[in-house]
Each structure stands twice: as C-alpha cells, then as structure tokens.
Amino acid sequence: MRASHADRERAVDVLKAGFAEGRLGQTEYEQRITRAYQAQTHSELQMLVADLPQGPVPQADFHPRPLPATFMPMPMQMPMPVHTNSSATGALVCGIMAPMTWGLTAIPAVILGHKARAEIRRTGERGDGQAIAGLVIGWLGIGAWAMFFLVFVLLAAVS
C-alpha cells in the first residue's frame, strides 16, 4: 500500500527518537531520513524503523491512561524536498561552455534546455531559469555560427 505524508512523518519521528536515544549514528540517521522521505510504500517505511522501538519503552509498574483523541498532537507535515532538474543544470553548463568550445556545446545546450523545460512542467522541479539561460546562450551560439557561415559563403561568392 502506498505511504502518505503522515506515514512518512511517523517513520521520521521514530527515527528522530532512535537518534536522540543513541540507537542510530549520525550518518545512518541521515541516510534513513532521506530514504524515509523518498519511500513510496508502507513496507519501505517499515524496513527503515523495524529495528527501533515504535513508541515509549514499556515500564514494569507504569501504566498511563490513553489520551482522548481530542488531546492527541497533530503530526507535523513537512513538504517533500524539491530538486533542481539535472537537464536544466546540463543545459546551463553546456551554454556557458559554448564560447570556450567554439560553439560545439551550443546544440546540446538547446536540446537539454527544451528537455528540461518539458520535465519541469511535468514534475514541478526547480531549474527553469537555468534551462532558459542554457537555451538563450545555446541559440546565440548557433546564431553566431549561422552568421559566420553566411558571411563566409557571401565572401566566397563575391571573390
């Protein structure tokens, strides 16, 4: 069954408690937290917290009364982290490198820029500005090469 944001938050709370109690090291805690936010199903979340206590450790002579539902704290909802589209980053890098490579990376910058913008519209990732910058620089590089060839052809025709 698919996990909800509330399910992920409950698993994260168990991981936080395990870390605070010294049951998890810093790196393992960070890895499990990352995997918890990326988990899609209940079974993935259960694997992350299976070796940790799922609530208060029972005491031999302490039996608290359960709290009424009106006093139960609401689980904290954290938004899923939004990532920058890698194609947008690639478009920007190819665009920036175009002048240094005599325009050879201008075409990949344009292709990656258009691909990134389509992915960003579909997934909601960040990086639209990077994709546009890669597109603009790429098209300027292609335009410069087109002008160079046009001037070259005109000079050849005149002479």
Side-chain angles (χ1 to χ4, degrees):
M1 183 162 40
R2 292 186 64 86
S4 68
H5 292 297
D7 296 327
R8 288 184 198 93
E9 286 304 319
R10 280 190 287 277
V12 166
D13 288 342
V14 171
L15 293 171
K16 286 179 184 176
F19 177 70
E21 295 169 357
R23 298 175 192 272
L24 296 173
Q26 178 74 31
T27 55
E28 184 179 5
Y29 168 72
E30 292 172 356
Q31 290 170 347
R32 287 190 189 197
I33 289 288
T34 302
R35 288 177 54 202
Y37 282 121
Q38 294 172 348
Q40 297 294 317
T41 63
H42 283 277
S43 60
E44 291 175 61
L45 290 173
Q46 185 57 36
M47 288 186 332
L48 294 172
V49 298
D51 59 339
L52 297 172
Q54 302 283 321
V57 178
Q59 305 274 328
D61 56 324
F62 178 69
H63 299 287
R65 291 187 332 191
L67 289 174
T70 56
F71 294 104
M72 296 300 262
M74 294 294 292
M76 210 170 91
Q77 294 280 335
M78 288 188 64
M80 293 296 289
V82 181
H83 301 285
T84 303
N85 186 284
S86 58
S87 295
T89 304
L92 181 62
V93 169
C94 287
I96 290 172
M97 294 203 43
M100 293 172 263
T101 61
W102 294 91
L104 295 177
T105 58
I107 293 173
V110 171
I111 293 170
L112 287 171
H114 284 294
K115 178 182 176 233
R117 298 219 47 219
E119 290 174 357
I120 289 168
R121 279 192 298 271
R122 189 178 70 248
T123 63
E125 293 176 305
R126 293 186 303 187
D128 194 46
Q130 291 179 345
I132 290 173
L135 278 168
V136 169
I137 298 170
W139 278 116
L140 286 173
I142 292 171
W145 272 106
M147 290 296 291
F148 174 76
F149 284 124
L150 181 64
V151 168
F152 183 74
V153 168
L154 288 175
L155 288 176
V158 169
S159 59

